[in-house]
């Protein structure tokens, strides 16, 4: 544990665990304010890509989060030879994955109104990120958190990348069910990969199943590349035509024809 962190924060119980470390509750010794601290064990970062992602997370999150109320803010960073510690907002309201899972076998897991209440702030967060030249690249229910007041907070910019000024992105990053086809195909791509991922999230919220399924990552990627989007009546029978049309526009294989974050947000902003 970094000496600088321990001088300024009291570390509490573990509240989460990931591939590279843990997340614990902590409190500021100066103000008493409560935060979360994400502690990344450098020995678990297996290659240069992992190390680069961990070290860039704080910088990119700072760009994305400044004045962006729907993104988890990082308040302090501490690093020593063994660990990187990120002190960030504590989100005690759980994540979207838990909310979907709590619905069990109900169809749909969420009403269109409840899904819209998630999509609108999520797309607002992504729109601001994209305008600042940041693509999240790992939008999924696990990374959509809720704070103690129920406000949505987009989290985990460990896979994020900066783009713009003619700079495209490359590299297969993200989580198989949510990765856009241009990523899987190894092509250069832009920020609309986040819109694809958000479209998968919307599909799962309304249907309880992923739009592109496989038993292995390879099978999932093959289904994503085929892009055969269907709306089975047994789970989408009560979903409106307008919602299905929006998902078709978000899950468009051709990125140039895919909705932007601004267009998706406009779909919700125009609702009465």
């Amino acid at each position: 544990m970094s000496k600088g962190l321990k001088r300024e924060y009291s570390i509490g119980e573990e509240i989460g665990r990931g591939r590279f470390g843990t997340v614990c509750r902590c409190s500021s010794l100066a103000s008493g304010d409560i935060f979360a601290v994400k502690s990344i064990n450098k020995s678990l970062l297996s290659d240069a890509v992992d190390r680069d992602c961990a070290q860039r997370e704080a910088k990119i999150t700072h760009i994305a989060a400044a004045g962006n109320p729907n993104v988890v803010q990082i308040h302090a960073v501490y690093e020593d030879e063994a660990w990187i510690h990120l002190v960030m907002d504590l989100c005690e309201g759980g994540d979207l994955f838990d909310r979907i899972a709590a619905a069990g076998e109900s169809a749909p897991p969420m009403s269109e109104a409840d899904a819209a209440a998630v999509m609108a702030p999520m797309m607002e967060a992504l729109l601001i990120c994209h305008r600042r030249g940041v693509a999240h690249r790992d939008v999924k229910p696990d990374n959509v958190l809720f704070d103690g007041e129920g406000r949505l907070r987009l989290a985990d910019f460990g896979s994020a990348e900066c783009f713009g000024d003619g700079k495209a992105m490359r590299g297969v990053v993200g989580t198989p069910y949510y990765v856009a086809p241009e990523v899987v195909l190894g092509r250069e791509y832009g920020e609309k990969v986040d819109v694809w991922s958000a479209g998968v999230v919307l599909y799962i919220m309304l249907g309880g199943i992923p739009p592109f399924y496989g038993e292995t990552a390879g099978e999932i990627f093959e289904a994503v590349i085929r892009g055969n989007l269907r709306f089975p009546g047994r789970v989408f029978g009560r979903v409106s035509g307008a919602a299905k049309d929006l998902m078709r526009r978000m899950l468009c294989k051709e990125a140039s024809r895919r909705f932007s974050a601004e267009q998706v947000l406009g779909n919700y902003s125009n609702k009465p």
Side-chain angles (χ1 to χ4, degrees), residues 172-240:
V172 179
V173 296
T175 304
Y177 282 122
Y178 305 91
V179 175
E182 60 266 35
V183 176
V184 178
L185 289 167
R187 298 172 179 166
E188 291 187 344
Y189 53 83
E191 72 278 9
K192 286 186 179 180
V193 296
D194 288 342
V195 176
W196 175 281
S197 301
V200 176
V201 172
L202 178 57
Y203 189 102
I204 292 173
M205 284 195 291
L206 294 178
I209 56 175
F212 309 107
Y213 179 77
E215 294 291 341
T216 65
E219 290 179 0
I220 295 168
F221 287 155
E222 289 175 3
V224 167
I225 292 170
R226 287 195 300 271
N228 188 12
L229 184 63
R230 296 181 180 274
F231 298 100
R234 63 184 175 82
V235 290
F236 284 95
R238 297 180 182 178
V239 176
S240 71

Side-chain angles (χ1 to χ4, degrees), residues 129-142:
C129 289
H130 294 172
R131 286 177 172 172
R132 293 174 178 172
V134 172
H136 187 282
R137 302 203 300 176
D138 196 19
V139 175
K140 59 183 178 180
D142 318 55

Side-chain angles (χ1 to χ4, degrees), residues 248-266:
R248 290 188 187 98
R249 294 173 183 272
M250 297 176 74
L251 295 170
C252 178
K253 284 175 59 177
E254 181 55 56
S256 64
R257 295 172 49 236
R258 188 181 307 153
F259 262 12
S260 66
E262 184 172 14
Q263 288 172 307
V264 178
L265 187 60

Side-chain angles (χ1 to χ4, degrees), residues 9 36 40 48 52 55 58 64 72 82 87 101 106 119 124 141 150-151 154-155 161 208 217 221 228 236 263 266:
Y9 293 89
I40 301 168
D52 182 57
Q55 290 168 346
V72 169
V87 178
S106 63
M119 289 298 296
E124 178 68 39
R151 174 186 288 173
L154 185 61
E161 181 63 275
F221 287 155
N228 188 12
F236 284 95
Q263 288 172 307

